[in-house]
Amino acid sequence: MSGYNGSLSLTFLLSQLLIIEKKYPGPDPLKRNYRFPLRVPLNQFFSIENPKSSIPSSMHRYYISFHDISLLHYVTSLYLAVSQCVTEQQSRGLALAPKLCLDVMGSEVLRLLQLTDRFIIPISYTVPRKLKTSIRQDLSSIPLTLYFILTGSDFVSHQQTGAEFPSDLFPDTAGRTAALSSQSWWAGENKQVGKVSLNPTRRSPPTCLLSKEKVTNRPEPSIASPEPSDGSVLTSPSSSVTSPSSGIVSSASQRSLQSILGPSSRLRHTQGVVLHRDHHITNLKGVSQSTPGESDGFCVNHQRLAVPLAVAGGQVAVLELSRAGRLPDTLPTVQNSVPVTDLTWDPFNPHRLVTGGEDGRIRVWEIPPDGLKEVLTEPQNTLAVHNERIYTVRFHPCAADILASSSYDLTLRIWNLKTGKNVLTLQGHDDQIFSLAWSPDGKHLATCCKDQRIRIYEPRVSTEAQQEGVGPEGPRGARILWVCDGKYLLVSGFDSRSERQLTLHSAQDLSQGPIATVSIDVSPATLIPYYDPDTGLLLLTGKGDTRVFLYEVVPESPYFLECNTFIPSDPHKGFQYLRKVDCSVPDVEILRALRLCYSSVEPVAFRVPRVKKEFFQDDVFPPSRVTWEPALTAEEWLSGKDKQQPSISLCPQGMIPGNMNGVVENYNLSPPQKKDKPLYDYLSQAPKEAPSKKFVPAAVYLQEKTDEQKKEELLSAMVAKLGNRDDPLPQDAFEGVDEDEWVSSKHCEYHRYISVFLVSKLPTQNEKSSA
């Protein structure tokens, strides 16, 4: 920091914007004796100078610490403002992007490239400006109140039509053509590089400009889409006045707001909350850091979780969820003999654990009902058909004992665990299989491959792919998932620039390519998706991330509705989700997850804020499938039979339920479902607020009337108030008194007057004293 003598000329906080209205004399305000509190030592600052500015005779200098970026902008004798950018990673270095690379129509005045331990992160600073305005004053013409706000938000989009070029922010800058050759400079010539305009209309667009396109929608192909099931909450809107996510008719003001900002999710306020420490599992030592990217890192069911450990022999720790607290230093484990590449629990048997190893073998383990008390070395069964390491193992969602596995030998095999045999082998992959997923009804199997192709198989019909389409462009990894009751395929992967993105494909025709694309961020970890079919909520996070992205997926454009983002305090190594019946319905908890950290496991609850929690919120708790009980046996599924599990109501005892036609209440699965009404044909019975009185405009009462009409209305109002004039008066109904009572009354009245007269003639106290 050249020119710094231990003190700066203004006291202010780095986290606030200050507007200074006083000029400080002197050639260099940095050398005056005014305190400037900083949070980090001065030897940990970078200094970057930017001589280009729209303010005459000015110099901008940026002081950047290791954990935040504070920008100090000053002119010859006056500070302009301070802006701070708190970064998630520790900075190892910073570089300033050239002016020609800035998004000038978006008022981007600065772009920094932050070097961290593993990434290079671009940081953009923009000046908020209103669109289509011609009243823009130069900052140097405002001597008293100078402000210059630098922020990282995209306040102005250069995609808007009619936006003016902010010439006050972007003067002409040095071009890219050299002014002199080396021989000319050595001969003594001096010449500066010629300046060029940053106005896009006067120059060709630079090649280094980063596009900020977030969502790209393509028209959906006109195909025959399957009808949604009765329990689906993703009902298509009937008109533009209906929310695409909730199906509730909105008001005129809401419709006008949606026409400007677009549709919003009914789950946009979902909050992620880490539960109390009493529910945490701590002192978990030696968590494996080398699980492949195709694996989720660990797996859970409603009773226990399994975590691979970084110990020789491929050991797996099995922890009981009911025994929260501090773990002992030594744990009984499952000895897999080789490093574990993937593992999963049987959804219909909470004691069966399946692991895949680097030796190409699939091992089936039986965990004791009361938990693991000693080291388990012998598996219940070993499936040894694959020739190379295992990538993924996934159980069938509806049939018991059916398991699918993928391997480095480019085959996809389906097993019958009851017999221990490989019953089906699927072919057609030319490269590494990143991910596989069963359809909700269990008929189809989708895969995502490194050859940038996605495929759909119908295993019981053919061993070759039934459909094939374009997948993600990046070769770093991908995940595939069925959403919207099997109508679409969601793929989480990378684009050609290694940016994480989501693509949505129609399951009826993969050849049409993605119908919607959403760019997320830049990170090396593959986003692991989880989809809740009851609410349509999509949760995405990667290994080592410090953020969980939430989207609501709807079956119509724009397909992805952004919700709140859950940001924990530290990075996690994995995220797994429990059943819907494990959620706290009275707290409006729509999802519960387990977060694997460096040495602990934390439960996280995702809740929707509601006021009247004593009532069952049936709009976010539709009937849910019994995913923990099989609908078919392995033999029935292999013979060609298809069947899904029934749905149940999540309304607990003591809460006011809705009209749940066709839903088995209170987890009683014996009565069959009715088919006369839709499954989701009910609303909450929470008391509705009384409708407010409609406002009648004053023009109704202030209509022009003639004088005769006014007189007639006045007379009518008087007559109505006084009543009929022919009615007898009230005193006519009074009864008289007898003659003797009348005389006695007059006699009493005479004596009263006499008494008053005599009292008035009595002498006063003063007259008595004088006498």
Side-chain angles (χ1 to χ4, degrees):
M1 292 178 58
S2 59
Y4 179 76
N5 64 348
S7 62
L8 298 178
S9 71
L10 199 59
T11 301
F12 53 90
L13 297 177
L14 294 177
S15 61
Q16 297 179 353
L17 168 68
L18 299 182
I19 301 177
I20 310 303
E21 296 189 355
K22 182 177 180 181
K23 296 184 65 176
Y24 294 89
D28 191 355
L30 284 177
K31 296 183 180 181
R32 296 190 60 82
N33 190 16
Y34 294 94
R35 291 291 179 183
F36 190 124
L38 296 176
R39 299 188 304 173
V40 294
L42 296 177
N43 57 3
Q44 295 185 8
F45 272 73
F46 301 100
S47 177
I48 298 178
E49 295 187 5
N50 181 18
K52 300 300 179 182
S53 172
S54 60
I55 305 176
S57 302
S58 65
M59 181 179 66
H60 286 192
R61 183 172 295 169
Y62 312 99
Y63 297 104
I64 296 97
S65 69
F66 284 111
H67 293 282
D68 54 36
I69 300 178
S70 304
L71 281 78
L72 283 66
H73 303 268
Y74 59 93
V75 288
T76 302
S77 61
L78 181 63
Y79 281 97
L80 293 182
V82 171
S83 178
Q84 181 187 23
C85 174
V86 180
T87 60
E88 298 180 358
Q89 304 289 336
Q90 188 177 13
S91 300
R92 298 301 182 186
L94 287 155
L96 190 65
K99 283 284 186 177
L100 294 175
C101 293
L102 301 180
D103 181 12
V104 294
M105 298 307 295
S107 298
E108 183 186 14
V109 297
L110 177 67
R111 183 182 298 172
L112 295 176
L113 297 179
Q114 179 195 18
L115 176 63
T116 64
D117 294 332
R118 295 184 297 171
F119 317 119
I120 297 179
I121 304 174
I123 303 174
S124 177
Y125 290 84
T126 60
V127 177
R129 287 296 176 91
K130 295 182 179 180
L131 296 175
K132 300 182 180 180
T133 176
S134 59
I135 307 176
R136 293 182 177 177
Q137 300 178 351
D138 195 286
L139 292 175
S140 61
S141 63
I142 311 177
L144 293 181
T145 307
L146 293 178
Y147 60 94
F148 195 81
I149 307 172
L150 290 183
T151 130
S153 61
D154 297 332
F155 187 83
V156 181
S157 176
H158 65 277
Q159 302 293 340
Q160 300 289 340
T161 59
E164 299 178 2
F165 172 70
S167 58
D168 55 335
L169 298 180
F170 300 101
D172 294 345
T173 185
R176 293 174 289 181
T177 305
L180 296 173
S181 62
S182 59
Q183 294 80 5
S184 301
W185 181 82
W186 189 257
E189 297 184 18
N190 292 319
K191 187 179 180 181
Q192 294 184 355
V193 177
K195 294 186 176 181
V196 295
S197 174
L198 294 177
N199 194 335
T201 60
R202 301 179 184 177
R203 64 184 179 93
S204 58
T207 58
C208 59
L209 183 62
L210 297 178
S211 62
K212 296 185 178 182
E213 183 179 2
K214 294 297 181 183
V215 180
T216 305
N217 292 336
R218 293 178 50 183
E220 185 179 356
S222 57
I223 56 177
S225 59
E227 293 293 330
S229 64
D230 295 339
S232 175
V233 299
L234 296 173
T235 306
S236 301
S238 57
S239 64
S240 60
V241 300
T242 306
S243 172
S245 59
S246 61
I248 301 176
V249 178
S250 57
S251 62
S253 60
Q254 292 174 340
R255 292 195 301 267
S256 61
L257 187 62
Q258 287 185 2
S259 63
I260 299 174
L261 303 178
S264 59
S265 171
R266 60 192 173 96
L267 304 173
R268 61 187 178 276
H269 299 301
T270 302
Q271 300 174 355
V273 180
V274 179
L275 299 186
H276 194 267
R277 190 174 178 83
D278 294 341
H279 304 279
H280 295 191
I281 299 176
T282 58
N283 197 33
L284 179 59
K285 298 181 179 180
V287 178
S288 177
Q289 308 288 334
S290 59
T291 54
E294 295 78 24
S295 173
D296 294 342
F298 76 115
C299 61
V300 301
N301 58 22
H302 64 282
Q303 294 185 6
R304 51 183 62 95
L305 63 90
V307 184
L309 301 179
V311 184
Q315 299 185 28
V316 178
V318 178
L319 310 177
E320 300 293 322
L321 297 181
S322 59
R323 303 172 188 171
R326 182 179 177 85
L327 297 174
D329 294 337
T330 304
L331 295 174
T333 59
V334 173
Q335 299 283 350
N336 195 64
S337 302
V338 295
V340 176
T341 56
D342 196 20
L343 70 169
T344 183
W345 290 103
D346 189 341
F348 312 124
N349 183 1
H351 310 299
R352 179 188 284 178
L353 177 66
V354 175
T355 61
E358 290 188 351
D359 57 354
R361 295 174 180 267
I362 299 174
R363 294 171 174 85
V364 182
W365 307 87
E366 187 71 22
I367 308 299
D370 56 347
L372 204 60
K373 301 297 183 181
E374 57 184 8
V375 177
L376 190 61
T377 58
E378 292 298 328
Q380 185 185 42
N381 196 0
T382 302
L383 311 177
V385 177
H386 285 293
N387 301 325
E388 300 288 345
R389 60 179 291 184
I390 304 298
Y391 280 144
T392 311
V393 286
R394 292 290 183 270
F395 274 97
H396 195 280
C398 303
D401 301 321
I402 296 295
L403 179 74
S405 64
S406 62
S407 171
Y408 194 73
D409 58 9
L410 306 184
T411 61
L412 197 153
R413 300 179 184 272
I414 297 178
W415 306 83
N416 184 355
L417 297 185
K418 190 174 182 179
T419 60
K421 296 182 179 180
N422 175 212
V423 292
L424 294 170
T425 302
L426 308 181
Q427 306 288 342
H429 295 91
D430 300 328
D431 209 331
Q432 177 183 351
I433 303 173
F434 283 145
S435 176
L436 63 90
W438 289 96
S439 60
D441 55 5
K443 295 181 181 180
H444 301 89
L445 194 63
T447 63
C448 185
C449 188
K450 193 176 180 179
D451 60 0
Q452 302 180 4
R453 308 292 291 178
I454 57 177
R455 297 172 176 87
I456 294 180
Y457 289 85
E458 192 170 358
R460 294 170 298 180
V461 176
S462 174
T463 59
E464 298 295 331
Q466 187 182 39
Q467 290 191 62
E468 189 172 336
V470 178
E473 300 178 2
R476 305 177 67 174
R479 294 298 182 96
I480 195 167
L481 196 66
W482 297 79
V483 296
C484 298
D485 200 20
K487 183 179 179 181
Y488 298 104
L489 278 174
L490 183 139
V491 180
S492 167
F494 296 85
D495 60 7
S496 58
R497 298 176 299 177
S498 296
E499 184 176 4
R500 297 195 292 189
Q501 68 175 7
L502 301 176
T503 56
L504 196 67
H505 305 257
S506 174
Q508 302 298 316
D509 191 358
L510 295 181
S511 61
Q512 297 293 330
I515 61 176
T517 302
V518 176
S519 298
I520 305 295
D521 60 0
V522 178
S523 179
T526 304
L527 285 173
I528 301 175
Y530 174 80
Y531 177 73
D532 179 21
D534 296 345
T535 59
L537 190 64
L538 176 68
L539 298 95
L540 303 135
T541 189
K543 298 179 183 178
D545 283 3
T546 58
R547 184 171 299 179
V548 180
F549 300 95
L550 278 73
Y551 289 89
E552 183 184 2
V553 184
V554 294
E556 293 187 357
S557 181
Y559 300 103
F560 296 101
L561 302 177
E562 189 173 1
C563 304
N564 272 348
T565 300
F566 171 63
I567 303 178
S569 58
D570 56 342
H572 47 252
K573 304 180 183 301
F575 239 84
Q576 288 293 308
Y577 301 86
L578 299 176
R579 306 174 305 176
K580 295 290 286 190
V581 294
D582 298 323
C583 300
S584 178
V585 177
D587 295 331
V588 200
E589 180 183 320
I590 59 176
L591 283 175
R592 176 167 294 191
L594 293 179
R595 177 172 170 261
L596 178 62
C597 303
Y598 180 76
S599 61
S600 63
V601 178
E602 302 176 354
V604 180
F606 291 92
R607 299 168 180 169
V608 179
R610 291 294 169 90
V611 177
K612 301 176 181 179
K613 294 184 179 181
E614 64 272 15
F615 298 96
F616 179 58
Q617 311 292 328
D618 47 20
D619 59 330
V620 294
F621 291 109
S624 182
R625 283 178 56 184
V626 187
T627 57
W628 55 93
E629 292 186 3
L632 298 167
T633 63
E635 292 76 12
E636 290 175 342
W637 184 82
L638 292 173
S639 63
K641 188 176 180 180
D642 293 316
K643 185 181 179 182
Q644 292 185 353
Q645 296 95 333
S647 298
I648 63 171
S649 168
L650 297 178
C651 181
Q653 296 288 346
M655 296 191 73
I656 302 178
N659 177 26
M660 288 170 251
N661 295 315
V663 182
V664 182
E665 297 193 21
N666 301 326
Y667 310 107
N668 182 14
L669 304 180
S670 55
Q673 295 185 0
K674 301 178 182 179
K675 297 298 182 181
D676 53 345
K677 292 185 179 180
L679 193 60
Y680 190 65
D681 184 21
Y682 62 92
L683 294 174
S684 177
Q685 291 187 356
K688 306 297 188 299
E689 296 181 358
S692 59
K693 186 177 180 180
K694 293 184 178 180
F695 173 75
V696 181
V700 177
Y701 302 101
L702 299 179
Q703 295 178 356
E704 294 295 335
K705 299 179 181 179
T706 62
D707 295 340
E708 296 296 332
Q709 291 178 345
K710 293 179 181 179
K711 291 180 181 180
E712 187 67 26
E713 290 182 0
L714 182 58
L715 291 175
S716 301
M718 293 175 62
V719 170
K721 188 175 182 180
L722 295 177
N724 194 351
R725 285 170 291 183
D726 297 333
D727 294 341
L729 296 175
Q731 55 267 33
D732 295 340
F734 292 167
E735 296 181 358
V737 297
D738 296 338
E739 186 64 24
D740 54 351
E741 294 179 358
W742 174 253
V743 174
S744 177
S745 175
K746 290 193 292 181
H747 181 71
C748 292
E749 188 71 17
Y750 171 76
H751 281 282
R752 190 176 69 84
Y753 281 113
I754 293 297
S755 299
V756 172
F757 174 77
L758 291 176
V759 171
S760 64
K761 295 300 182 179
L762 292 176
T764 62
Q765 188 70 20
N766 295 334
E767 291 176 352
K768 289 180 180 181
S769 60
S770 62

